[in-house]
Amino acid sequence: MAQLTGKIALVTGGASGIGRQTALRFAAEGAKVVVADVQDGPGAEVVTEIEKNGGEALYLHLDVTSEEAWAAAVATVTEKYGVLDVLVNNAGLGQADTLETTSLALYEKVVAVTQTSVFLGTKAFAPLLKLSTAASVVNTSSIFGASGGFGTSPAYHAAKGAVRTLTKNIAIEWAPLNIRVNSVHPGFIETAMMGDTDKEPYIATTPLGRVGQPHEVAAAITFLASDDASFITGAELFVDGGYIAR
């Protein structure tokens, strides 16, 4: 049996990169997938691909920084499915500036998209997650949520570090409800966020000697979302080619 048969799942940032691969993998594993993003064209294409392969999905325009947008998303999912089994808070915004070149506006924007969205989304969908018999929340943090990286991108590091700790906090609160909450921590993954930059510095600091692929992170998210991870909550799963182990 597929790992997510019959489950209703919502993936933010689902139009591209890790989110796209997660949505595709979820559908392949039997889930009905809500693809949430602000990239309407690419998001709709993900839904089309899922449906072409025999799955069920819908696209939802969602500004993850807006409490009102999250309320509208809950209303849509409630009307369509009446429950949510899996929430993947994956949306994020990268940054490469140093501390002194990071403006307050940029800092707050990165935190809003990457960190505050996790708070807003999990809080908004709490009632529907509590209706599930085995709900799971998976939050995308990063290796930079647990390390100082290269000493740049302070907003991104702060936001991902907060996601890491918030995950554990909610996991403790919801454990008696059998709602599992875990975080996945990608290393250097070949996505649009990485861009066309020289990959050699990333490869040089990764023991496996290469950058990762979005589908490899999607596989980890799928495991944490599935009943195979039924005794795992408040955990961190690093998908980083050994970066944190150095």
Side-chain angles (χ1 to χ4, degrees):
M1 180 184 292
Q3 292 187 76
L4 302 176
T5 298
K7 292 186 181 294
I8 310 301
L10 185 146
V11 181
T12 69
S16 61
I18 291 170
R20 178 179 183 275
Q21 289 299 320
T22 298
L24 295 174
R25 178 64 183 268
F26 275 16
E29 295 289 347
K32 299 175 182 179
V33 186
V34 180
V35 180
D37 210 304
V38 291
Q39 302 179 81
D40 296 339
E45 290 173 5
V46 175
V47 170
T48 298
E49 185 170 349
I50 288 172
E51 292 176 339
K52 187 186 303 182
N53 291 322
E56 180 177 334
L58 66 87
Y59 174 71
L60 188 66
H61 181 92
L62 176 61
D63 174 1
V64 295
T65 69
S66 166
E67 190 169 16
E68 293 74 19
W70 276 108
V74 171
T76 298
V77 174
T78 299
E79 181 179 358
K80 179 74 174 179
Y81 299 114
V83 68
L84 188 70
D85 300 296
V86 180
L87 172 63
V88 180
N89 289 304
N90 170 73
L93 184 63
Q95 179 224 2
D97 310 76
T98 63
L99 174 67
E100 292 170 279
T101 59
T102 299
S103 67
L104 177 59
L106 177 59
Y107 188 94
E108 291 179 337
K109 182 177 181 180
V110 172
V111 169
V113 175
T114 308
Q115 172 195 338
T116 308
S117 63
V118 177
F119 162 75
L120 291 175
T122 310
K123 180 180 178 182
F125 271 100
L128 288 189
L129 289 166
K130 290 177 181 179
L131 292 177
S132 172
T133 57
S136 174
V137 178
V138 183
N139 298 325
T140 303
S141 181
S142 168
I143 51 173
F144 288 166
S147 73
F150 301 118
T152 56
S153 58
Y156 188 77
H157 280 259
K160 290 299 191 181
V163 169
R164 177 193 191 197
T165 308
L166 179 61
T167 297
K168 297 177 183 300
N169 178 261
I170 301 172
I172 296 294
E173 179 187 355
W174 282 359
L177 304 176
N178 196 35
I179 300 175
R180 298 181 300 101
V181 189
N182 295 288
S183 58
V184 64
H185 296 249
F188 303 117
I189 309 299
E190 194 166 10
T191 66
M193 188 178 292
M194 180 177 285
D196 296 324
T197 57
D198 180 13
K199 297 180 179 60
E200 285 307 314
Y202 305 136
I203 294 171
T205 57
T206 302
L208 284 183
R210 65 177 176 86
V211 296
Q213 297 300 315
H215 71 86
E216 294 176 298
V217 184
I221 293 173
T222 301
F223 166 68
L224 289 174
S226 76
D227 293 340
D228 284 345
S230 58
F231 199 55
I232 301 175
T233 195
E236 306 166 4
L237 180 51
F238 286 86
V239 187
D240 65 351
Y243 175 90
I244 288 292
R246 294 185 73 100

